[in-house]
Amino acid sequence: MIVCCGEALIDMVRIKTSTSEEVFLPLPGGSPYNTAIAIGRLNVPVTFLGRFSSDFFGEILIKRLRANRVGDELVKRAVQNTSLAFVKLEKGKEPRYVFYTEGTANCSLSMEDLPPALPPETRCILFGSIAMTVEPIASSIEALILREGARKSADQMDGAPVLSFDPNIRSFLITDHNAYLRRFEKWIAASTIAKISSSDFKFLYPGLQPEQALQKVIAMGPRLAICTLATKGALALLRRNDGSVTRVSVPGISLPVVDTIGAGDAFHGALLAWLEMKGKMSRSALVNLSEADLYNALLFANKAAAIVCSRRGAEPPTRKEIQSLNVPEGKAAANKPTVKKAVPEKPKVGKPAAKKATNGKPKASKPAAKKATTKTAAAAPMKKSAAAKPAAAAPTKKSAAAQTTASAPARKTAVAKTAASAPARKTAATKTTASAPAKKSAAKTVVKKPAVKKRG
């Protein structure tokens, strides 16, 4: 089971009516709350730990939890009002918020409100967001995660639950950057998983690129550090027991965007749900994730976030909706090589040096994967007269690309590179004369063939 703790509030979202009047629509929200809903919709056991008002907004929050299979046995009820967040949405921009949290029920969570022990089936605790910027709830949750993170058993690694942290920073709530950063790094050091957006990193470490900031975070203690990159997908670093770090990234998924409310929460919830569904929700299982497993977990989470962005408000998808969202296999495969760092082999230049041409025709027995220079592709093999003749005597109806294909080795990569290096509408004769004057007789022969230009 996953326990989500933090704020639960009402998002007052500004919308226009059919008569163009602007009104505020009350919607249940709060990052940990939205994440709990996302997990519940994926049929994974989850409960919420927090403090709800007994007012009618508090009732809305409780009903939504129950409607989405989220437990409320760890929720305390109080007479204080519900926290409110007024949201302004503008096309192409991040949502803007104004929070009313002082003296509210959820932000007043105290040490006395914490259960003496969590349910024995608890395998993960999720925390973070604006709850960690307001007292007394920030200190109460900090005490809870430090207490649960220190649990020991015969299995030293799996004695404690997985602790998953999402700062979900709202910078206008943080008055002292350095003070917050010190506490943030304390929470990071206690966490097993850290999920941080690129916009959060801009606030935390403004001088670092997202991947540099992620490397800084993984060195502080978490086993898995993830940076969400909006439309560019997500990047993850996994630190194993031997100290090695596995790097995996997934591409962005393109769907029509209505708004981005709850996208990061859906990503976080789907990631944790995937780990629980696959039996990977433990500290020992996490460090032993295969690269393919981590890629699939990130892709599953990315799909959930993309679906949320295609809807109004924080409405996370079901498992069936995520599974039915087909990502083009070619697009996913094109990004998979980032899982492993491949070091390209430098082309050998020793053997071709014996030929008079600067870059001669590569031997047919050599692997086509080796890079051919621009001169090699443009000049065509000119050492042997038999190779030059097809270029001179080729039918005038064929394009320069076809002529080059006739005279070059029949390898796909060589053809692709030749096409990239020579403009499609120019003749092979013009390209050859411009780039390879090594054989005068061959150049003259080609210049006498202007017939191809008639195709322009």
Side-chain angles (χ1 to χ4, degrees), residues 244-257:
S244 64
V245 174
T246 299
R247 179 186 185 278
V248 176
S249 68
V250 294
I253 296 173
S254 180
L255 288 179
V257 176

Side-chain angles (χ1 to χ4, degrees), residues 175-188:
T175 56
D176 188 331
H177 180 276
N178 290 333
Y180 176 81
L181 189 60
R182 286 192 295 271
R183 294 192 78 179
F184 165 82
E185 293 182 348
K186 181 181 181 181
W187 302 326
I188 283 289

Side-chain angles (χ1 to χ4, degrees), residues 159-179:
V162 169
L163 302 178
S164 192
F165 175 41
D166 176 7
N168 192 38
I169 291 171
R170 299 290 178 253
S171 58
F172 54 84
L173 293 174
I174 300 172
T175 56
D176 188 331
H177 180 276
N178 290 333

Side-chain angles (χ1 to χ4, degrees), residues 184-217:
F184 165 82
E185 293 182 348
K186 181 181 181 181
W187 302 326
I188 283 289
S191 299
T192 320
I193 300 173
K195 175 262 169 193
I196 307 172
S197 70
S198 56
S199 60
D200 287 346
F201 273 141
K202 285 181 182 179
F203 174 81
L204 292 164
Y205 305 113
L208 299 180
Q209 293 298 315
E211 185 161 358
Q212 293 174 318
L214 201 63
Q215 291 169 346
K216 184 180 180 72
V217 164

Side-chain angles (χ1 to χ4, degrees), residues 224-447:
L224 177 60
I226 301 167
C227 180
T228 51
L229 301 166
T231 58
K232 296 180 180 179
L235 171 65
L237 299 179
L238 176 65
R239 182 170 56 86
R240 302 189 184 277
N241 284 336
D242 63 1
S244 64
V245 174
T246 299
R247 179 186 185 278
V248 176
S249 68
V250 294
I253 296 173
S254 180
L255 288 179
V257 176
V258 175
D259 66 52
T260 59
I261 295 176
D265 307 327
F267 181 100
H268 198 181
L271 175 79
L272 297 181
W274 189 96
L275 292 172
E276 183 72 6
M277 289 186 294
K278 301 297 182 179
K280 307 290 185 181
M281 186 61 84
S282 69
R283 299 185 178 214
S284 59
L286 195 64
V287 299
N288 291 309
L289 280 178
S290 69
E291 292 168 348
D293 279 343
L294 183 52
Y295 182 89
N296 290 333
L298 294 174
L299 186 61
F300 186 82
N302 225 22
K303 287 182 178 182
I307 292 172
V308 167
C309 290
S310 69
R311 301 170 173 177
R312 183 179 298 280
E315 289 295 340
T318 63
R319 190 185 306 186
K320 184 177 180 181
E321 287 173 324
I322 294 176
Q323 291 170 342
S324 63
L325 177 59
N326 294 320
V327 177
E329 189 63 29
K331 185 174 182 180
N335 286 271
K336 276 194 178 183
T338 58
V339 172
K340 293 183 179 180
K341 293 182 179 180
V343 180
E345 184 182 352
K346 294 182 179 180
K348 295 180 181 180
V349 296
K351 290 185 179 180
K355 297 185 178 182
K356 292 182 180 180
T358 303
N359 288 284
K361 177 180 178 180
K363 293 182 181 180
S365 59
K366 293 293 179 182
K370 292 186 178 181
K371 293 183 179 179
T373 63
T374 304
K375 288 183 179 180
T376 302
M382 300 180 67
K383 179 69 177 178
K384 297 180 181 179
S385 59
K389 286 180 180 179
T396 58
K397 295 292 185 179
K398 292 188 177 181
S399 65
Q403 291 176 21
T404 306
T405 306
S407 60
R411 291 206 179 245
K412 291 183 180 179
T413 52
V415 174
K417 290 179 180 177
T418 302
S421 63
R425 304 301 295 175
K426 289 186 178 182
T427 66
T430 304
K431 191 67 179 178
T432 304
T433 304
S435 60
K439 291 281 186 177
K440 293 183 179 180
S441 60
K444 288 178 181 178
T445 302
V446 178
V447 169

